[in-house]
Amino acid sequence: MRIATWNVNSVRTRVDRVVAFLERWDVDVLAMQELKCKPEQFPMAAFEEAGYEVALHGLNQWNGVGIASRVGLSDVAVGFPGMPEFGDPPVAEARAIGALCGDVKLWSLYVPNGREIDHPHYAYKLEWLATLKDVARGWLEDDADRRIALMGDWNVAPQDEDVWSMEFFEGRTHVTAPERAAFAAFEDAGYAEVTRPHTPGVYTYWDYQQLRFPKGEGMRIDFVYASPELSTKVTDAYVDREERKGKGASDHVPVIVDLDLVN
């Protein structure tokens, strides 16, 4: 099975690129983030014509997550238990959706950005990650052999090499010790990040501003955490840097993971 995650940054704007990516890479399941549409606005026909079922969660023109699968799509869960809310009044944003695809429970996750260190969104981000970690730990405590993939835009650069300039990011979100600790806590919960060993030293995001992409000034913030049983099935991983090129590109690129679920 080949699975992938991609912050598409508006699926309606980039539907042709997304479907072309699915076909070019022969992807079985794609976790998408930042759909930026309500369900009735989603370009479902294009995915169905390509052979994919889609489960999605979108509330407005912000956020939004989805899963496109050609190997089955069942047991859909919108959000995770206890998922923190944000806003006034507080609401559960469209940031998490899970589904059973084949025999893998795959989650598409769009972790809150945090905005600024002294912003309420930063505390919300840390709470969101901590709650997800506790829930994910519980899944393994219930069944240590479950095949679970936590995929998406984590909005954390866990290591210094994951940003183009630590000096630039000093005092900014994504690289702070609490964020990095919240990301690393998933290892303590029993999960393994499976893309870095196969794709060292690459970025997955480049801001549109100030020519960040041609200058090579990117960040690595898109990851796949796998449960112990699933992590042993990973045979390779890739980052499709080419997808950042050309007209109409997302500011993120797809991250792909190959699984051998037979052996």
Side-chain angles (χ1 to χ4, degrees), residues 56-228:
L56 67 143
H57 179 41
L59 299 174
N60 47 42
Q61 72 272 29
W62 310 112
N63 308 321
V65 284
I67 298 171
S69 172
R70 65 180 186 186
V71 293
L73 189 67
S74 61
D75 192 25
V76 175
V78 172
F80 52 85
M83 189 173 74
E85 300 178 339
F86 187 77
D88 185 18
V91 297
E93 298 181 307
R95 292 186 175 275
I97 189 169
L100 188 64
C101 303
D103 65 350
V104 177
K105 188 58 180 279
L106 187 147
W107 283 85
S108 179
L109 305 169
Y110 182 35
V111 176
N113 177 282
R115 299 180 185 171
E116 298 173 357
I117 294 174
D118 58 354
H119 196 285
H121 209 260
Y122 179 80
Y124 164 57
K125 176 181 190 174
L126 296 178
E127 182 186 5
W128 201 95
L129 283 167
T131 304
L132 174 61
K133 179 260 299 179
D134 289 341
V135 171
R137 185 198 302 273
W139 291 332
L140 295 183
E141 290 174 348
D142 291 341
D143 182 358
D145 294 327
R146 293 184 69 178
R147 294 176 172 179
I148 303 172
L150 308 175
M151 312 175 64
D153 176 358
W154 291 77
N155 268 317
V156 178
Q159 299 182 13
D160 289 357
E161 69 176 21
D162 296 335
V163 295
W164 62 274
S165 169
M166 280 299 296
E167 182 180 4
F168 174 84
F169 279 94
E170 185 175 355
R172 300 172 188 249
T173 61
H174 291 61
V175 300
T176 65
E179 290 168 288
R180 288 180 167 181
F183 183 87
F186 285 82
E187 290 188 22
D188 298 332
Y191 293 78
E193 203 294 303
V194 296
T195 67
R196 190 187 299 275
H198 300 277
T199 58
V202 299
Y203 298 141
T204 63
Y205 164 86
W206 298 260
D207 197 305
Y208 289 127
Q209 305 299 318
Q210 299 183 9
L211 299 175
R212 293 293 188 210
F213 182 65
K215 290 178 180 178
E217 297 175 348
M219 304 174 68
R220 186 181 192 133
I221 55 177
D222 302 87
F223 298 97
V224 178
Y225 263 119
S227 62

